[in-house]
Amino acid sequence: MAKALVVVESPTKAKTINKYLGRNYKVLASMGHIRDLPKSKLGVDVEHGFEPAYESIASRKKVIKDLRAAAKDVEQIFVATDPDREGEAIGWDIAEELAGKNRTIHRLMFNEITKKAILAAIEHPVAIDEKMVAAQRARRVLDRLVGYKISPLLWDKVRRGLSAGRVQSVALKLVCDREREIEKFVAEEYWHLFARLAADAPPEFDAKLVKKDGATIRVANEAASNAILADLEHATFVVRSVVRKERRRHATPPFITSKLQQLSRFTVKKTMVVAQQLYEGIELPGEGAVGLISYMRTDSTRVSDQALADVREHIGKVFGAEYVPEKANFYRAKADAQDAHEAIRPTSMQYDPEAVRAHLTPDQYYLYRLIWNRFVASQMPPAVFDDTIVEIDAGPYTLRVRGSVPKFSGWLAAYGAVGESPENVPAKGTAGDADEDEASSGVLPELREGEHLALKGLRPEQKFTQPPPRYSEATLVKELEENGIGRPSTYASILGTLQDRDYVKKIEARFRPTVLGVLVTDLMVPYFEDILGVTYTARMEEQLDEIEQGKADYKSTLGSFYEKFSVDIERADREMDDLKKGMPTGEKCDKCGGEMLKKVGKFGPFLACSAYPECTNTRELEPPEGAGANGAEVPVEECENCGRPMVMKRGRFGQFLACSGYPECKTTRKLIATRQGGLTAAKPDEVLTEPCPQCGSNLVRKQGRFGEFVACSNYPTCKYVQQKTTGVKCPTDGGEIVERRSKRGKVFFGCSNYPGCDFTLWNRPIAEACPKCGAPFLVEKVTKRHGRQLVCHKEECDYVRSEELAPA
């Protein structure tokens, strides 16, 4: 019988820790939070110190029952939840549920799931940090007050199902503000001028025009460009100055959560999911589950002395003594960093990414290698470059070129090649424009002051100023982080909520606010300017930190917030526009002359005639998904049946074109995304000469929700749909196995005699008999780890053959 109970959050974590502790300990998982505020009511006693009314989560009642049963026979309980505010709060709730007269409850704190760290934590248990719990409670109550007070207001004024959040609303406003900047932006033309020059010795190089008469020059148009080019054609090019200096490029700190989210090629949510897998444990031969990285929710760049010693030893062995700096590198933490635990790093230098690659999925390997390289590089010396900056006179004009030659690779050696370094590419979603001040070259010829250069050619480049880019996941996280809004652990849920509520759309991996998102923001700003303000929200985060540090009080912090917030709620309830009744726009109805009203329906905002129901004219407000910055329209299409123009509509499956003559003409057309990211109207139905095998009417090629298909033109009287055959016979009744789709659009394969025969497969059948057991066909499986494989469809046969994937 176990002597002690250890409680963690996840089964994977429990499995890894149990391996280290042995039979004297029973390790169980709480499956995350076991208690929360009630869903059906506010759950906060505003009148009595903002006391939260926590209750057991319905889906965790069996978990709580199992934990209580396991706790009956032990004298010691160890709470081993994650070492952050959320983990501390989960631990507090577990302790409350399992407390008993003859039981002692301890808190285990560890930054990595390794045998050494777990055994050390068992040897030195601590108490649950009540200040940290109070900070988490304060955040939860703040979020509940904002959400449960503003959301019903939006239900009443706009439509049910909308939500507002303390940090979510600020993030949405940032996206909306950026979109307005883009809409107001006016591009300006400018030109870059380059001269191809040659010295006495090779190589030739390009120099860029930077000055005229000693002042910085901006070439505004083609006429100005041509005039300067004419001057340069007859100019004498003389080297004015040659400046040589050594440049050092220092390593960057090991990853904190937000930086990992920004530099990973994954979405924020996927980055955290994969990092959690690496933290909780990966099965390695002979060792069982091993945690490969330290805790992945951190804003500290601190690294333990032991980890520093280990990585410095590794660097010396792999790269040589010259790559080990005299002293370890230390990095300054952000002013608001909690510094509760270390930076994200490998748990042991013995688990080189290549050594464990065979036991990782491609996603796990990519992220682990990124973390490993960043950590190793962070403890290496600077990369050194020899830079040469040359200025060249050409009459009144000055041209400049920079040459840069690597002298010592330093920390860049950890990436194998400079191009593999994440610091050498912009964060995903950033503009990444090259330096526009000067031309750059690798190796320059030996140049000296006063040397004359030969002109080999002139090259003008027309440019236009660009609007600020829309936020990607990475750049929005960066903006939130730099402004002190939210915490890295909350970013994934914030971005997910914005999309789930239809406040933003992802267009080419960037966020564009929907009309609904802009509308909700504009409605809230006049009444909740402070809550939507970056500075105010950042200050609230600081106050939560102060509660954790014991510098601020839970009740007074919440009381100060709620005093003004309650006044704002009352004013908004009285004065906010009611979109259910309709907001006047001043626009006239093109059918009856009445005023068009802005309303919000099931599928988003739209314009409707105020004369409804006598006039049913409506118009879509949402720009097409994939449209340009200013909502470029889908090309105008005419109805193929009546000739009237098609108009944009929105239904349960998104936007589509419908005849403006509805209800007399009910023609509709699907919208298809183009490779350029815009939308185009699907081709009209194409009538085929082939007859329907069921009723004899002509078949027609149509565009459906899941692509092109062939069906009977006599629909809905005849519902025949031509199915794609696989050329394989059904083993049950001899019918054809055909390609079909589930209600959610997922492809599967089934007998053409359905519903008479219900034989189905999720993998595509291949018309080839199994060489091992003689089964009539094989099935195709494609996975990231193994690629394309042909396997026998019979479960009792283990035949497998790897195949190359067909070219795209």
Side-chain angles (χ1 to χ4, degrees), residues 171-327:
L172 175 58
K173 187 173 184 295
L174 287 172
V175 174
C176 292
D177 289 346
R178 176 60 57 88
E179 194 68 17
R180 288 193 171 96
E181 289 181 55
I182 294 170
E183 290 170 353
K184 292 176 182 177
F185 180 81
V186 178
E188 294 182 9
E189 180 185 8
Y190 66 101
W191 290 70
H192 285 168
L193 304 181
F194 297 90
R196 185 73 172 175
L197 301 172
D200 294 338
E204 295 179 0
F205 59 92
D206 288 334
K208 181 185 173 186
L209 176 68
V210 292
K211 295 179 182 178
K212 181 179 181 181
D213 296 323
T216 301
I217 185 172
R218 181 181 176 86
V219 184
N221 51 52
E222 187 174 10
S225 170
N226 290 337
I228 295 171
L229 290 174
D231 292 342
L232 292 176
E233 283 179 355
H234 303 95
T236 301
F237 292 83
V238 181
V239 177
R240 172 197 277 187
S241 65
V242 180
V243 178
R244 296 181 176 89
K245 60 181 180 181
E246 187 178 85
R247 176 170 57 92
R248 291 175 175 266
R249 186 173 168 200
H250 292 272
T252 47
F255 277 124
I256 60 175
T257 306
S258 57
K259 288 294 186 286
L260 180 63
Q261 291 170 341
Q262 291 166 41
L263 285 172
S264 166
R265 71 186 181 204
F266 303 143
T267 63
V268 170
K269 181 178 180 180
K270 184 174 180 179
T271 298
M272 298 311 293
V273 168
V274 178
Q276 183 93 26
Q277 294 166 357
L278 295 172
Y279 167 69
E280 291 188 342
I282 300 296
E283 289 288 336
L284 299 180
E287 297 186 66
V290 174
L292 292 181
I293 65 170
S294 59
Y295 190 55
M296 66 285 164
R297 293 186 179 92
T298 177
D299 54 8
S300 171
T301 57
R302 179 174 56 83
V303 175
S304 70
D305 292 340
Q306 184 61 55
L308 288 176
D310 291 345
V311 71
R312 286 167 61 81
E313 181 182 352
H314 169 82
I315 293 168
K317 289 179 179 177
V318 174
F319 299 98
E322 67 273 24
Y323 286 89
V324 183
E326 186 177 340
K327 296 181 180 179

Side-chain angles (χ1 to χ4, degrees), residues 614-631:
E614 288 76 17
C615 178
T616 59
N617 187 26
T618 61
R619 195 174 81 241
E620 181 80 15
L621 274 176
E622 191 72 53
E625 296 175 15
N630 297 309

Side-chain angles (χ1 to χ4, degrees), residues 465-476:
T465 55
Q466 298 295 312
R470 289 186 178 124
Y471 287 110
S472 65
E473 285 202 3
T475 55
L476 185 54

Side-chain angles (χ1 to χ4, degrees), residues 102-119:
N102 300 319
R103 298 175 203 152
T104 305
I105 298 181
H106 305 281
R107 175 76 164 106
L108 297 186
M109 295 292 284
F110 45 85
N111 190 53
E112 59 189 50
I113 304 178
T114 60
K115 185 174 183 178
K116 182 179 178 181
I118 300 301
L119 295 181

